[in-house]
Amino acid sequence: MTDDHDDNAPPVIAIDGPTASGKGTIAQRVADAFGWHYLDSGALYRIAALRALRAGTPLDDEEALAALARALAPQFAQGRILVDGQDVADAIRAEAVGSAASRIAVHPALRAALVDLQRSFRRPPGLVADGRDMGTAIFPDASLKVFLTASAESRAIRRHKQLIEKGFSANLTDLLLDLRERDARDMQRASAPLKPAQGALLLDSTDLTIEQTVEAVLDAYRRRTES
Ligand code: DC
């Protein structure tokens, strides 16, 4: 694991923020606009959580979780996520899996086990990475760091819509409660807590459309790299 800046390393845009802040959509669109790679780091935590749930691994067994995470070799292709030949792209979006992901993410050994896998996504011509600690821990030399937020209520409404569209049942009040709980856990954990990286662009998307939010990120990147 190294944090040293390498001038030849492909550029990274790091987009961090709380659950359901729209990071995934925004990051994917920014990656598409530049023709860059995209890393959904939350998906890796969710894959680890899904495996743990299916294997019956206790969510507080740090060493067993780290071993399970070290063995992960997921393949991302055209919206599918293959783990051991099985597509888990939909299964990892279930609320129970997101909640378990947030629980296992508090363990430093589990987080350390996922570092190299996350950094392996940094390939030419560039990478847009979204998560909680992309700018603070995984890619501290990112060219642009964005901290994307939105009010808890608007995030709950967005998550509700997403889940219904995917065919999951969902209750708005429960989602809001769960989202506040998850925010608190992600922000208060000792290991790589969710917080804006130094120098991050703070972007509140509550009253912005997806297009406006994407444009704000593209604009900020152009300004930072031109100066
Ligand atoms: O972004 P998401 O909702 O898919 O992430 C699920 C959980 O994974 C989140 O609650 C905390 C954890 N996570 C993390 O700790 N660090 C990351 N870089 C990404 C996700």
Side-chain angles (χ1 to χ4, degrees), residues 16 19-20 23 40-43 45-46 93 98 101-102 105 111 118 130-134 159 182 186 189:
D16 290 306
T19 195
K23 303 181 302 288
D40 169 5
S41 64
Y45 286 86
R46 285 171 180 265
R93 294 296 149 204
S102 169
R111 303 195 69 81
Q118 292 175 88
D130 87 58
R132 304 293 188 289
D133 61 346
M134 297 298 96
R159 174 58 49 91
R182 217 185 296 179
D186 291 350
R189 68 175 177 232

Side-chain angles (χ1 to χ4, degrees), residues 28 37-47 72-83 87-89 92-93 117-118 120-121 123:
Q28 178 76 71
H37 300 281
Y38 166 57
L39 166 64
D40 169 5
S41 64
L44 303 181
Y45 286 86
R46 285 171 180 265
I47 292 166
L72 287 183
Q75 290 172 287
F76 291 78
Q78 282 128 28
R80 302 193 322 151
I81 305 174
L82 294 180
V83 176
D87 184 7
V88 298
I92 61 166
R93 294 296 149 204
L117 178 58
Q118 292 175 88
S120 71
F121 283 78
R123 293 190 303 270

Side-chain angles (χ1 to χ4, degrees), residues 20-167:
S21 58
K23 303 181 302 288
T25 306
I26 303 303
Q28 178 76 71
R29 295 216 187 183
V30 171
D32 289 347
F34 285 139
W36 288 8
H37 300 281
Y38 166 57
L39 166 64
D40 169 5
S41 64
L44 303 181
Y45 286 86
R46 285 171 180 265
I47 292 166
L50 181 67
R51 288 205 109 185
L53 291 172
R54 286 185 174 170
T57 307
L59 302 185
D60 57 359
D61 187 341
E62 181 164 1
E63 282 318 312
L65 292 166
L68 176 154
R70 270 192 293 274
L72 287 183
Q75 290 172 287
F76 291 78
Q78 282 128 28
R80 302 193 322 151
I81 305 174
L82 294 180
V83 176
D84 298 330
Q86 202 197 344
D87 184 7
V88 298
D90 286 337
I92 61 166
R93 294 296 149 204
E95 277 306 286
V97 177
S99 181
S102 169
R103 284 174 195 281
I104 66 172
V106 303
H107 303 305
L110 179 275
R111 303 195 69 81
L114 291 175
V115 169
D116 287 347
L117 178 58
Q118 292 175 88
R119 290 189 178 151
S120 71
F121 283 78
R122 185 177 199 167
R123 293 190 303 270
L127 173 70
V128 183
D130 87 58
R132 304 293 188 289
D133 61 346
M134 297 298 96
T136 52
I138 305 299
F139 302 109
D141 63 339
S143 310
L144 173 67
K145 301 175 184 183
V146 178
F147 194 77
L148 188 66
T149 56
S151 70
E153 290 73 16
S154 66
R155 288 186 284 129
I157 292 168
R158 287 179 196 170
R159 174 58 49 91
H160 185 260
K161 194 163 159 256
Q162 266 174 8
L163 287 169
I164 298 295
E165 279 169 6
K166 284 195 187 295

Side-chain angles (χ1 to χ4, degrees), residues 165-208:
E165 279 169 6
K166 284 195 187 295
F168 291 109
S169 65
N171 172 289
L172 195 55
T173 313
D174 291 348
L175 280 175
L176 184 58
L177 277 175
D178 181 70
L179 193 137
R180 288 192 200 281
E181 227 176 76
R182 217 185 296 179
D183 280 357
R185 195 160 46 228
D186 291 350
M187 289 190 283
Q188 288 161 14
R189 68 175 177 232
S191 181
L194 170 66
K195 63 171 185 207
Q198 213 175 2
L201 166 75
L202 302 181
L203 198 53
D204 185 332
S205 71
T206 308
D207 299 316
L208 298 181

